[in-house]
Structures are given as C-alpha cells and as structure tokens.
Amino acid sequence: MLQLVFLLSTLVACLLFYLTNKQQKLLASSLPKRPWRLLAYGMTVASLIGWLSLFTLSAAIFIWIALLMLLSGLVPFISLIGRK
C-alpha cells in the first residue's frame, strides 16, 4: 500500500515539473514556477525518503531514479490522450 502512495507522489511530482514548463501542452498557460516547482521538489524528496523506508539504500535509489526517468518520459504523452 505504501508503495502505491510513493509511486503516486512521484507521479504527481513529475506532473508538476511538466506543468511548470513553458512547453507543456496540457494547460492553456503553464503554472507559475515559484510555488509549484518547489512543491514538486519537496514531493520528489519525500518520495525518496519513503522509498528509503521500504527498501535498502541501493534498491530505493534505483527505484526512485528509474521511476523519475520513466514518468518524465511518459507525462508529456498525456496531452495526446484527450485530442481528437
């Protein structure tokens, strides 16, 4: 159950990173960087701490980095789902 929570927090962090970028296509205008990007950094660090509480150091860092890479590559494709 905790694994799902940390996975979702990593997903939300990657989504916030994407939505604060000026090249994003989901919203009409990008979110302001100051509060949202700081929240994304905080969620990323919190998810790393959560993974560290579940797994050993090397496994937690590997899972965290692998998820960040995977989700950072997949999040921009969300904008293609709603298009007709």
Side-chain angles (χ1 to χ4, degrees):
M1 187 66 179
L2 282 175
Q3 294 167 348
L4 181 63
V5 170
F6 300 137
L7 174 72
L8 290 176
S9 68
T10 309
L11 173 66
V12 170
C14 286
L15 189 62
L16 284 174
F17 280 127
Y18 177 70
L19 291 176
T20 56
N21 190 353
K22 66 179 179 178
Q23 306 297 329
Q24 60 90 19
K25 299 292 181 191
L26 285 176
L27 303 175
S29 64
S30 63
L31 294 175
K33 289 184 182 182
R34 186 67 176 168
W36 297 107
R37 184 86 41 110
L38 290 175
L39 179 64
Y41 285 131
M43 290 185 77
T44 305
V45 170
S47 69
L48 174 61
I49 293 170
W51 289 117
L52 286 169
S53 71
L54 291 177
F55 300 109
T56 63
L57 178 68
S58 58
I61 291 175
F62 175 77
I63 290 171
W64 181 66
I65 290 174
L67 275 174
L68 285 176
M69 288 189 304
L70 176 71
L71 294 173
S72 295
L74 290 178
V75 164
F77 290 107
I78 293 174
S79 64
L80 298 177
I81 294 172
R83 298 213 176 167
K84 294 180 182 179

